[in-house]
Amino acid sequence: MTKQEAAAALRHYAVLLELLGEDPFRARAFENAARMLEMQPESLDVLIAENRLSAIRGIGKGVAAAICDLNSRGTFAELEEARQGVPSGVIELLRVEGLGPKKARALWKDAKVTSLAALENAIEAGLIERLSGFGAKTAQKFRTGLAFLKSTSGRHWRHHAARAAEALQESLKDMAGIREVFFGGSLRRGNETVGDLHVLIVADTGQTDTVRAGILALSCVSWSETGSGLRGESASAFPIELSVVTLDEAGARKILATGSEEHVRALKEVAASKGFSLDPQESGNVLRTESEEQVYAALGLAYVPPPLREGNNSVFAVGSRAFPDAVRLEQIRGILHCHTTASDGHHALRELAAAMIERGYEYLGVADHSQSAAYAHGLTPERVRAQWCEIDELNKELAPFRILKGTEVDILPDGRLDFDDELLAGFDFVAASIHSGFNMSEEDATARLCRALENPQVDILGHPTGRLLLERNGYPVNHRRLIDCAARHGKAIEMNCSPHRLDLDWHFLASAESRHVPVPLCPDAHHIEGLWDIRWGVEVAAKGPLTAANCPSTWSADEFLEWCASHA
DNA sequence: GCCGTTTTCGGCCCGACTGTTTTCAGTCG
């Protein structure tokens, strides 16, 4: 078991304790222990082998024993007991925004609400607002929260989809008769969230039936029904739609499996007008080709990169338009916006730098939280200056690698910043973000963000809407005005690459590009693995597309600093 | 449950915001 998995189990236990109404400080002790465990540089195996768990602050005898049990048998006695005591639907209730453990427990105990469906019924029946401690506004808030959950139902975070795809690929790698394992759908198109994994298995000639039988026999996927294709669920409960296809139909089938619906519909119309059919399962003059490129060419159309296949307006005749190249992962030279143990990160500066040097990156832009973010142990001006000294020392040691002195300074409710201009001037770069006071009108939120961008010390606007994909929408922002403002003041807007955010929304990348508003790909990393979240940003940014030239992450440190100085 | 101590109990990250109350509890970042 990894540290992260053990920490997740400890957190889950803490939630169960709260739902069971047990001592909240006991619950917090497990949460705290989970956080401290994650921050250890060593692996769980090493910590256990060297008997060092209880030496970690926040982990005593009891939690250490629980962690050892987790590592050896995947659970611990108290966790199992707590699980028995809480209906699984009650845990689901916590997904509703504004509904925490105390209210979930009250709903469960006082109103017998033990599922999201039961909550919806209770709201509509007017039962919620009659409960002690609840009122009409709370009921309305839950109604809104439930509607949001419904709107995202069946969608999954991109990184979970990629993980499920990699696991399936791995389980198929030694199967005979397979020429290619192809993943289409939103995963291939670079969307922020993914519904099903759309998989095509291109079989060698004459091997279709054998391959299909082999896939049905896979132990890592449970196939629920079999028609012309297969429908199943991965070990991680990810929904899969899979078809085994022959080489001569692969080109068209890949296009159909990739989508989007609108793009495919537009292609089908062009095909029909030329007397062709795209779908091998339909009658007519079916286009039989091995590659997608051949299909577009046969229709007299320019090949459309998968991320651009949204809507029906990306279909062009050959030569009538060229699609710009999107930034590629290997073009990224530096990573901006990372947190260290100085605020709420899990690794020290030196560890982050070492991980980046190992992967061949040139610079790291640290951006810890500012003082008003107390929950995240935000830095005071004194602690900022101490960090600068640490960076100076590290830079001498690690050259030519460079650590840039940055901050993710809070944008206060009125648009002022959480540090004074004199301190801000001492940073190499300043990213400014909103972390509190989300309840704003679009007008207020846009004005607050613009005021921050107008400050000459600010270089980059962080996660512009504060959204958490599949969890909350964030505050409403007028992106057009925001991009105008950034363009006027020569500022950048980050695409936050955390797979939970991917904010700036890709729909606005083209507008940023045309207004020459740079868009750095920022992982907002809180641990070493989080640094590589830039991958998700690269994949989604291809939908703009965001070009390398307009992405400061592809610039050298000197080019980036020169740009920062240009508007100070 | 963990920690620290004027050791075996008392306090635990912290402030803003919101809604239900009418002084405070719950949620969130």
Side-chain angles (χ1 to χ4, degrees):
Chain A
M1 181 173 273
T2 64
K3 276 178 310 209
Q4 284 73 21
E5 287 166 337
L10 295 177
R11 285 204 178 89
H12 186 61
Y13 180 59
V15 168
L16 292 173
L17 286 178
E18 288 191 88
L19 289 170
L20 287 165
E22 304 224 359
D23 178 10
F25 290 109
R26 191 157 162 256
R28 190 185 293 180
F30 277 89
E31 260 171 49
N32 194 32
R35 198 173 67 243
M36 297 308 286
L37 179 63
E38 279 177 332
M39 285 172 71
Q40 299 308 308
E42 300 89 351
S43 74
L44 189 54
D45 283 336
V46 169
L47 290 169
I48 289 174
E50 297 180 4
N51 202 18
R52 280 163 44 203
L53 278 177
S54 43
I56 298 167
R57 200 184 149 77
I59 298 181
K61 258 189 184 169
V63 179
I67 295 172
C68 287
D69 277 359
L70 278 169
N71 191 49
S72 57
R73 54 193 192 87
T75 186
F76 54 98
E78 298 95 319
L79 174 62
E80 286 312 302
E81 192 186 332
R83 273 197 179 127
Q84 296 301 317
V86 182
S88 60
V90 173
I91 300 163
E92 288 283 290
L93 297 179
L94 298 173
R95 294 172 56 210
V96 179
E97 202 181 350
L99 206 170
K102 295 276 168 55
K103 286 210 151 54
R105 179 173 166 78
L107 289 167
W108 168 29
K109 293 294 178 184
D110 301 343
K112 306 282 176 275
V113 168
T114 56
S115 69
L116 290 171
L119 175 61
E120 187 172 15
N121 291 336
I123 292 170
E124 297 319 321
L127 296 175
I128 297 301
E129 49 209 87
R130 292 210 290 273
L131 289 174
S132 161
F134 293 70
K137 288 191 175 174
T138 302
Q140 182 51 40
K141 198 171 180 182
F142 290 173
R143 191 178 281 126
T144 309
L146 279 170
F148 178 78
L149 283 183
K150 264 192 187 165
S151 74
T152 60
S153 144
R155 304 298 297 179
H156 307 266
W157 287 305
R158 184 170 181 81
H159 62 309
H160 285 186
R163 207 178 293 156
E166 282 156 16
L168 183 61
Q169 182 119 44
E170 177 66 23
S171 65
L172 292 169
K173 74 175 175 8
D174 295 326
M175 196 176 285
I178 292 180
R179 181 173 290 241
E180 184 187 355
V181 178
F182 171 92
F183 294 94
S186 331
L187 182 63
R188 185 169 184 232
R189 294 206 313 281
N191 295 78
E192 311 90 309
T193 62
V194 176
D196 302 347
L197 278 188
H198 290 271
V199 190
L200 293 183
I201 309 292
V202 183
D204 288 330
T205 310
Q207 296 293 307
T208 312
D209 290 340
T210 317
V211 167
R212 197 180 143 96
I215 288 168
L216 277 170
L218 281 178
S219 59
C220 60
V221 184
S222 57
W223 300 109
S224 55
E225 53 186 86
T226 58
S228 60
L230 304 175
R231 199 165 164 76
E233 217 174 56
S234 75
S236 58
F238 212 97
I240 299 172
E241 269 190 33
L242 182 145
S243 297
V244 182
V245 302
T246 56
L247 192 55
D248 70 330
E249 60 182 2
R253 292 296 294 268
K254 284 180 180 177
I255 289 175
L256 296 175
T258 299
S260 64
E261 272 181 45
E262 292 86 346
H263 183 79
V264 169
R265 196 180 305 128
L267 285 184
K268 281 182 170 175
E269 281 168 17
V270 175
S273 73
K274 295 182 184 272
F276 291 114
S277 167
L278 275 188
D279 195 336
Q281 286 159 342
E282 285 173 8
S283 58
N285 188 10
V286 175
L287 272 174
R288 296 201 172 274
T289 67
E290 294 183 17
S291 75
E292 290 179 307
E293 285 84 348
Q294 290 169 312
V295 174
Y296 284 94
L299 297 177
L301 299 173
Y303 174 75
V304 184
L308 301 183
R309 298 182 197 171
E310 298 291 344
N312 57 4
N313 54 359
S314 55
V315 173
F316 298 100
V318 172
S320 69
R321 176 174 162 181
F323 297 109
D325 288 329
V327 58
R328 298 188 310 278
L329 193 56
E330 62 270 23
Q331 292 175 301
I332 306 289
R333 297 171 70 173
I335 293 184
L336 303 167
H337 192 169
C338 317
H339 297 268
T340 74
T341 44
S343 64
D344 58 348
H346 293 176
H347 289 100
L349 258 178
R350 176 187 293 277
E351 296 169 297
L352 292 172
M356 290 193 58
I357 291 169
E358 199 184 319
R359 293 227 182 174
Y361 289 102
E362 297 171 24
Y363 59 96
L364 157 72
V366 64
D368 274 314
H369 289 285
S370 59
Q371 52 194 349
S372 79
Y375 66 91
H377 201 218
L379 275 64
T380 59
E382 293 70 36
R383 295 182 59 222
V384 164
R385 292 195 179 88
Q387 190 182 55
W388 289 350
C389 293
E390 187 192 351
I391 291 173
D392 287 337
E393 288 304 310
L394 279 170
N395 276 340
K396 278 183 214 157
E397 184 187 325
L398 301 175
F401 186 81
R402 266 168 90 175
I403 300 172
L404 307 184
K405 299 167 186 164
T407 176
E408 185 185 19
V409 64
D410 256 62
I411 302 174
L412 302 173
D414 61 0
R416 285 182 304 119
L417 302 176
D418 193 26
F419 286 141
D420 64 36
D421 285 352
E422 191 194 339
L423 186 72
L424 290 174
F427 287 100
D428 290 326
F429 75 97
V430 172
S433 313
I434 289 179
H435 292 104
S436 58
F438 276 36
N439 199 359
M440 297 173 279
S441 67
E442 181 179 297
E443 184 65 31
D444 290 346
T446 309
R448 182 174 171 188
L449 294 169
C450 285
R451 181 161 180 208
L453 277 176
E454 285 160 9
N455 184 315
Q457 302 302 336
V458 170
D459 303 297
I460 302 170
L461 180 68
H463 45 70
T465 73
R467 75 179 182 185
L468 289 177
L469 295 164
L470 309 182
E471 288 175 29
R472 66 164 192 233
N473 279 328
Y475 38 82
V477 173
N478 184 324
H479 282 80
R480 189 187 52 76
R481 276 177 50 204
L482 190 64
I483 290 168
D484 276 351
C485 178
R488 211 161 45 243
H489 296 277
K491 304 300 176 68
I493 301 178
E494 81 170 8
M495 176 184 271
N496 190 294
C497 301
S498 159
H500 297 266
R501 293 187 184 271
L502 294 166
D503 176 23
L504 179 70
D505 189 296
W506 64 265
H507 290 89
F508 302 102
L509 285 172
S511 164
E513 185 95 18
S514 69
R515 305 296 313 275
H516 306 293
V517 171
V519 179
L521 294 172
C522 299
D524 197 356
H526 287 73
H527 48 86
I528 286 172
E529 285 308 306
L531 290 167
W532 324 133
D533 280 346
I534 45 169
R535 169 189 169 182
W536 316 117
V538 167
E539 290 175 4
V540 175
K543 300 184 79 58
L546 171 66
T547 64
N550 202 44
C551 177
S553 314
T554 70
W555 305 347
S556 71
D558 283 334
E559 284 167 336
F560 173 64
L561 293 176
E562 199 176 308
W563 172 82
C564 288
S566 70
H567 52 246

